[in-house]
Every structure is written in C-alpha cells, then in structure tokens.
Amino acid sequence: MTAMMAYSSISRWSGALGVCAIVVVARPAHAEPRAVVELFTSQGCSSCPPADQIIGELAKDPGVIALSLPIDYWDYLGWKDTLADSRFSARQKAYSRMRGDRDVYTPQAVVNGSKHVIGSDRASIEGAMIETKKADGVMSVPVKMSVSGKQLTVSVEAAKGATATAHGEVWLCSVAKAVPITISRGENRGREVTYHNVVRNLLKVGDWNGSSGSWTVPLENISRDGVDAAVVYVQDGNRDKPGPMLGAAYTSLH
C-alpha cells in the first residue's frame, strides 16, 4: 500500500511504563552490527506479510538489527492493528520529510536511517545495507549494553574521524522477539502472521555530542508484557529530524 498521510504532532514520545522489572544476569550485546533495518508494517496491509517474514530472517543475522514498527494509519480499513503505535507513524513521516519526498507506504524498510526500499524486496534491503554503510559515520560508533539485576547500562564510545563532529540522540527500544497475531478482518482476514523484533516502547536516554557517554536505565522503565529484548541506537539529528544511524546494539533480556 502507498499513502501520503498527514500526522498529528506527538505530544509524548518517550516515557516509563510502570510494569514489573525483568531480573536477569549481566550479558554482553552483539558487537558492532553493520545495519539497522526498520520495517514500517501493518496488520491491515495485504502486501506486508512477505516483508514481515524477511524481518524474521534478518533478525537471525547477528550483524543486522531488524525492527518492526507497526503503523496505525491503515486501521480504518476494517482491522485495527493490535501492535500499532502513532509514534511509529510519526517516525516514518519524519524520515520522509528529511528525505524531501512524500514516500510513506507499507511495507517500507528504512536502512541505517538513510535509504528507504520496499520491505518485501530482500535484495534491495541488502543493497541498501551495503550502500549506506559506505557513508561517513554510518554505524561507525561502538555501542554496548549490559544488564545486571534490575538495571540496563548503555555505553557509547567517542566518535572518530569525520564522525567526531556528529551529534545526535540515544534511544532505547523495548522489543518483543516474536509476536503471533491472528487477523480476523481486513485485507489479511483469516491469516496468522508472526511479527519479529516488534518495538513496544521507546525511551530517549540521552543526547550524544561525539564524546563517550554512559547511561543507566531501570528495567522497569522499558518493561511490559512480552518484552524480551532491548535495542539501543545512536542516531544523528533528533526525533523530528532523524538522520543516519551512527551505532546500535541489541541484547536479550531473558
């Protein structure tokens, strides 16, 4: 599906969810992935299941952080997406605004915050990973996460070379690794689709100015039912003007 959508401003982008904390032992996250792939998808979009499957395949690659961000603007077609979040719709629109185009559609994959392709086209996604990685600074900043007890610590190293003048924001995502959904109405009526690495909450943990930094976050601030992983990313720009991905890390929570 394609659409040129108008979005209302999001008054609340981040926040804590007061749910029980996940208790885990410390473990390292995957080191230095080469790409962050964000899939904007919808349970109400008949073209999306092949893209959802590709995200599941990419999620198995330790060098790729593949995320599903279900949008809400197709809810009027007869099925309300049970995972959708208006913040994801706003993020997709912000990417379009930064590119200077009106390309907002599902399934849409945004690779390393820089290039968009059709989310069901695996070859195009892989080509975009190669192309965007060549740009100065993209996925060049080492990011680590560690979990101990009821706290998660994010560490971002200092920038080097051309990236040293970069600035951006550090965001933490609550992630559900696999969410099966039975869809009873709309274009995917009668289908069961599994959504992979679904973002369930977003929390800004800090600003990054090119210097090394560290932040500690109580797990209760990102926890909710079904959350079993976390992703942190450092992105040039800000929430309303997102730029290239500078670094990211993924860790399981249990």
Side-chain angles (χ1 to χ4, degrees):
M1 292 181 172
T2 60
M4 293 177 288
M5 310 297 299
Y7 300 88
S8 59
S9 60
I10 305 302
S11 60
R12 185 183 177 204
W13 183 265
S14 63
L17 292 177
V19 198
C20 60
I22 303 171
V23 180
V24 292
V25 296
R27 58 173 63 86
H30 293 304
E32 300 184 19
R34 68 183 186 276
V36 175
V37 179
E38 300 172 80
L39 177 67
F40 295 95
T41 184
S42 173
Q43 295 170 18
C45 165
S46 61
S47 302
C48 285
D52 300 317
Q53 182 176 349
I54 288 172
I55 288 297
E57 295 167 357
L58 291 174
K60 298 175 183 178
D61 184 342
V64 177
I65 294 178
L67 298 173
S68 297
L69 293 92
I71 52 81
D72 63 353
Y73 50 77
W74 294 131
D75 285 357
Y76 74 94
L77 293 179
W79 174 256
K80 182 176 174 60
D81 192 303
T82 58
L83 301 172
D85 193 315
S86 60
R87 295 174 294 180
F88 305 156
S89 302
R91 181 167 175 79
Q92 187 183 23
K93 179 65 175 179
Y95 274 133
S96 173
R97 188 166 55 248
M98 285 298 291
R99 293 191 306 265
D101 59 38
R102 298 171 68 93
D103 290 331
V104 176
Y105 57 89
T106 57
Q108 182 180 48
V110 175
V111 180
N112 284 335
S114 304
K115 185 176 178 64
H116 76 94
V117 297
I118 296 173
S120 55
D121 187 338
R122 174 88 182 245
S124 291
I125 293 174
E126 292 178 346
M129 286 193 280
I130 295 171
E131 179 182 342
T132 56
K133 191 68 168 65
K134 295 176 182 178
D136 288 341
V138 172
M139 299 302 289
S140 67
V141 178
V143 179
K144 296 180 181 179
M145 277 191 293
S146 61
V147 181
S148 181
K150 297 181 180 181
Q151 291 188 323
L152 183 149
T153 299
V154 174
S155 299
V156 181
E157 293 189 13
K160 299 178 181 179
T163 318
T165 59
H167 57 85
E169 297 181 338
V170 183
W171 285 83
L172 186 60
C173 306
S174 306
V175 172
K177 295 179 186 177
V179 185
I181 298 291
T182 300
I183 303 168
S184 60
R185 296 189 302 277
E187 292 187 355
N188 288 316
R189 178 175 60 253
R191 301 185 68 165
E192 181 175 292
V193 180
T194 298
Y195 297 88
H196 302 274
N197 282 352
V198 183
V199 178
R200 303 300 289 133
N201 191 38
L202 285 165
L203 178 68
K204 180 181 175 181
V205 297
D207 293 302
W208 182 76
N209 62 5
S211 302
S212 60
S214 180
W215 298 265
T216 298
V217 180
L219 281 172
E220 65 180 1
N221 287 13
I222 65 168
S223 302
R224 63 185 296 177
D225 291 344
V227 168
D228 51 9
V231 167
V232 63
Y233 62 81
V234 182
Q235 187 166 23
D236 190 37
N238 56 47
R239 179 194 68 184
D240 299 318
K241 296 180 179 180
M245 287 289 179
L246 303 176
Y250 173 102
T251 190
S252 293
L253 294 178
H254 55 76

